Amino acid sequence: MGVRFGYADTSFGQLHYAEQGRGPVILLLHQTPRSWDEFRELIPLLANNFRVIAMDMVGFGASASLPAPQTVEDFAQGAWELLDALGVDRATVLGHHTGAAVALEMAAAAADGGRLDAVVLSSCPWADAQYRAGHTGAGGVDCAEHVPDGAHLRRLWDLRRPYYPAPATDLLDRFLHDALSFGVDPAEGHRACGRYRMEERIGSVTVPVLLIGAGADPFSMPALPKLREHLVGAPSVTEVVIEDGTVALVERHADRVATAVCEFLANVNTTAAPVTADTLVARHL
């Protein structure tokens, strides 16, 4: 069966999601200002072994709007409420870029051995004081004032274009579709990530972690060492670097992301004695 779509009632309003497959649940969390569509290529690959749920985070896509100032904690609460509404007791969470910060917050909130089996942080930022200083203002690559002549459409395209692999037309079309969705502020999600105090939360993560790096992503690759250093409570930390990956990692390299995720979860589920954080496993795909 192919991808099915639905809405779940939450305290934020209705949240939209896509779903495919059966088995253990993997919740997918997109970067800002994308939607479930970021995982269009990845969903069917993971659905061979898992029940895959890709949500539009609150404030994005076809989900309920979220007034500014938005926060990573709000995004995480929306994800928890979606899982509750769908009757999901346990899950693995995979987030990409901003979605990775949300996945980390979910793991930190579940530090009492709660509902998460593992967390996958794909191109996760390191949101410390220095990051906050540079990301709480204009909104970076997604900041374009709406003007009557439509010049903001070209500006959004041009701001993103240097970070997408050629040919990029189809990917940028999909990005613009999401950035222009009703009620979405393309830059506010970046500001929300800039407000997040990750350095105070990351030590509370107590589930196995997979770090996926995109070698050609200048925004996230420098964060990998800091993330490894601060994941002191995780029973195991595995790292995979996809050398030619970009900001559009999960669209262009869905097959390699799926392989990394499936291998990681197979090891998490079959290893009797967990690997310690000091014995980092590194793979280069």
Side-chain angles (χ1 to χ4, degrees), residues 113-128:
R115 299 165 58 184
L116 295 189
D117 295 318
V119 63
V120 179
L121 306 179
S122 172
S123 299
C124 187
W126 173 242
D128 62 356

Side-chain angles (χ1 to χ4, degrees), residues 3-7 16-19 36 40 54:
V3 176
R4 296 177 290 113
F5 301 93
Y7 283 89
H16 179 251
Y17 65 94
E19 180 178 0
W36 79 271
R40 184 181 294 273

Side-chain angles (χ1 to χ4, degrees), residues 26-30 39 55 57 72-73 75-77 79-80 91-111 116 118-122 124-125 193 196 198 201-202 204-210 231:
I26 297 183
L27 176 67
L28 307 183
L29 304 174
H30 57 81
F39 301 107
M55 70 180 295
M57 292 193 300
V72 166
E73 290 84 355
F75 301 152
Q77 182 60 34
W80 284 122
T92 291
V93 179
L94 182 160
H96 183 62
H97 266 269
T98 306
V102 178
L104 188 149
E105 171 58 25
M106 293 180 72
L116 295 189
V119 63
V120 179
L121 306 179
S122 172
C124 187
C193 199
Y196 185 50
M198 183 179 287
R201 299 292 288 156
I202 191 169
S204 296
V205 175
T206 58
V207 296
V209 177
L210 171 61
L231 283 164

Side-chain angles (χ1 to χ4, degrees), residues 70-276:
Q70 296 174 357
T71 68
V72 166
E73 290 84 355
D74 285 336
F75 301 152
Q77 182 60 34
W80 284 122
E81 292 191 25
L82 176 80
L83 292 177
D84 288 341
L86 297 180
V88 175
D89 294 326
R90 299 196 64 81
T92 291
V93 179
L94 182 160
H96 183 62
H97 266 269
T98 306
V102 178
L104 188 149
E105 171 58 25
M106 293 180 72
D112 58 353
R115 299 165 58 184
L116 295 189
D117 295 318
V119 63
V120 179
L121 306 179
S122 172
S123 299
C124 187
W126 173 242
D128 62 356
Q130 182 177 355
Y131 182 95
R132 285 191 292 277
H135 288 78
T136 55
V141 295
D142 294 325
C143 184
E145 181 182 356
H146 286 219
V147 291
D149 66 359
H152 57 287
L153 305 180
R154 180 58 184 265
R155 177 160 175 77
L156 285 170
W157 182 287
D158 288 343
L159 285 170
R160 281 267 172 162
R161 177 65 189 86
Y163 308 108
Y164 277 61
T169 302
D170 62 328
L171 294 175
L172 289 168
D173 281 345
R174 291 162 62 179
F175 157 73
L176 278 178
H177 177 274
D178 287 341
L180 298 173
S181 294
F182 178 78
V184 172
D185 179 346
E188 181 59 19
H190 292 292
R191 299 188 191 106
C193 199
R195 298 177 184 115
Y196 185 50
R197 306 185 74 86
M198 183 179 287
E199 74 275 27
E200 298 175 6
R201 299 292 288 156
I202 191 169
S204 296
V205 175
T206 58
V207 296
V209 177
L210 171 61
L211 296 173
I212 301 180
D217 180 350
F219 299 108
S220 65
M221 269 303 290
L224 276 180
K226 285 290 187 181
L227 292 166
R228 288 196 306 267
E229 176 186 346
H230 287 82
L231 283 164
V232 295
S236 65
V237 179
T238 302
E239 181 183 326
V240 171
V241 176
I242 299 175
E243 295 293 353
D244 53 346
T246 65
V247 170
L249 176 68
V250 293
E251 297 104 315
R252 278 292 186 258
H253 298 295
D255 55 342
R256 286 187 269 179
V257 172
T259 296
V261 171
C262 290
E263 289 184 356
F264 165 69
L265 291 178
N267 289 332
V268 166
N269 292 332
T270 60
T271 302
V275 179
T276 66

